[in-house]
Amino acid sequence: MEKLRVLLAEDDKNLGVILKNYLEAKNYVTHLYANGESALHAYQHHQYDLCILDVMMPVMDGFTLAEQIRKSDKKIPILFLTAKSLQDDILQGFKSGGDDYITKPFNMEELLARMTAILRRSRQNLETGPKSNIFRIGKFTFDYNRQQLTINSQEHKLTSKEADLLRMLCENVNQVLDRKAALVKIWNDDSYFNARSMDVYIVKLRKVLKEDPDVELINVHGVGFKLVTRE
């Protein structure tokens, strides 16, 4: 099986080398660059499956680099490394075309888990195509485009926000969906009122999903939510 290729942009030399060595040990071909400009040049001359971009870099920062990459490739997964945890920075990351972010300091297992999740979502999008977006959840069929959840010929119509939220849960099935990431991605803001609104949608989705005893939508205290399927 051909190894996946990672573009890693990190200006901290020690961290960059540690990340490169770790990813290569996990069977990823990894190219390391110390600033956004050299990383962009590499991206333009090589093929990659995933970009891991530090936000704060000299010459060209990670957000600008992501915007440049998105001009030619709308689909390549982008994961931001950031020492900042402010909502404005996270929001800026998604606006720049990022798929996920991880805040320093982090452990390598968490980084690998996030990489695996966004690569899986990317492959799923390629396989289903932009007009499909159909997910299987236990005995349910979820049609994202039609905003419809069906079980045993019974159809449940979803609101746009419910459909967006369920889609993110499906993309992270049996894994924890980070609460703040979902708020920023769907509501563009993790304010108190949006958080309460999301809780209402979670309760409504949970009520419908209870129709299949092998499907459960659980709260992970202080972190987020997990869509669990036992089939």
Side-chain angles (χ1 to χ4, degrees):
M1 184 177 178
E2 187 176 351
K3 294 182 179 180
L4 295 179
R5 297 168 62 86
V6 175
L7 173 64
L8 173 61
E10 170 59 65
D11 70 317
D12 183 320
K13 184 176 180 180
N14 291 332
L15 177 58
V17 171
I18 290 171
L19 289 172
K20 184 177 189 297
N21 291 341
Y22 175 78
L23 294 175
E24 289 182 338
K26 295 297 182 180
N27 220 29
Y28 290 92
V29 175
T30 307
H31 295 172
L32 172 62
Y33 299 92
N35 64 68
E37 187 173 84
S38 60
L40 179 60
H41 184 267
Y43 166 79
Q44 292 169 337
H45 291 84
H46 300 282
Q47 186 72 34
Y48 294 101
D49 299 290
L50 170 71
C51 298
I52 301 177
L53 313 179
D54 182 33
V55 170
M56 300 300 292
M57 290 188 294
V59 186
M60 180 187 294
D61 64 74
F63 294 152
T64 303
L65 173 57
E67 290 170 355
Q68 292 299 313
I69 289 172
R70 283 286 178 248
K71 288 181 179 179
S72 59
D73 192 332
K74 302 293 185 185
K75 296 181 179 180
I76 187 170
I78 296 176
L79 173 65
F80 286 115
L81 306 179
T82 175
K84 300 178 178 180
S85 57
L86 295 176
Q87 178 238 317
D88 287 346
D89 298 300
I90 295 167
L91 178 57
Q92 179 61 39
F94 286 123
K95 285 182 176 178
S96 300
D99 297 284
D100 202 353
Y101 70 95
I102 187 168
T103 304
K104 300 176 185 177
F106 54 84
N107 62 53
M108 297 300 184
E109 290 75 15
E110 182 184 0
L111 173 65
L112 191 63
R114 289 181 181 272
M115 289 173 58
T116 301
I118 63 175
L119 283 166
R120 185 182 67 248
R121 293 199 298 267
S122 176
R123 285 194 296 269
Q124 185 180 57
N125 289 339
L126 287 173
E127 289 167 0
T128 60
K131 295 183 180 179
S132 180
N133 290 318
I134 294 176
F135 302 86
R136 292 288 301 173
I137 316 167
K139 296 181 178 67
F140 287 97
T141 299
F142 170 44
D143 188 327
Y144 173 76
N145 288 346
R146 296 177 65 192
Q147 297 177 202
Q148 186 170 284
L149 191 57
T150 305
I151 182 171
N152 299 328
S153 300
Q154 183 177 0
E155 299 176 351
H156 297 274
K157 193 67 177 174
L158 305 178
T159 67
S160 296
K161 286 289 192 294
E162 287 169 347
D164 288 341
L165 186 54
L166 184 55
R167 181 181 182 177
M168 287 193 73
L169 288 162
C170 288
E171 290 171 344
N172 293 274
V173 67
N174 294 320
Q175 298 184 56
V176 177
L177 173 63
D178 182 82
R179 182 183 182 87
K180 179 174 284 189
L183 282 167
V184 173
K185 190 79 171 181
I186 298 173
W187 277 267
N188 296 325
D189 180 329
D190 66 343
S191 70
Y192 172 83
F193 296 104
N194 286 336
R196 298 286 73 78
S197 177
M198 182 168 69
D199 289 339
V200 171
Y201 290 130
I202 287 289
V203 170
K204 291 173 67 177
L205 287 172
R206 183 180 291 123
K207 183 176 180 180
V208 175
L209 293 170
K210 281 184 177 179
E211 293 180 29
D212 183 349
D214 291 320
V215 175
E216 188 176 7
L217 178 52
I218 62 177
N219 291 338
V220 181
H221 183 69
V223 182
F225 311 98
K226 181 189 286 190
L227 179 63
V228 178
T229 62
R230 299 182 179 88
E231 286 193 343

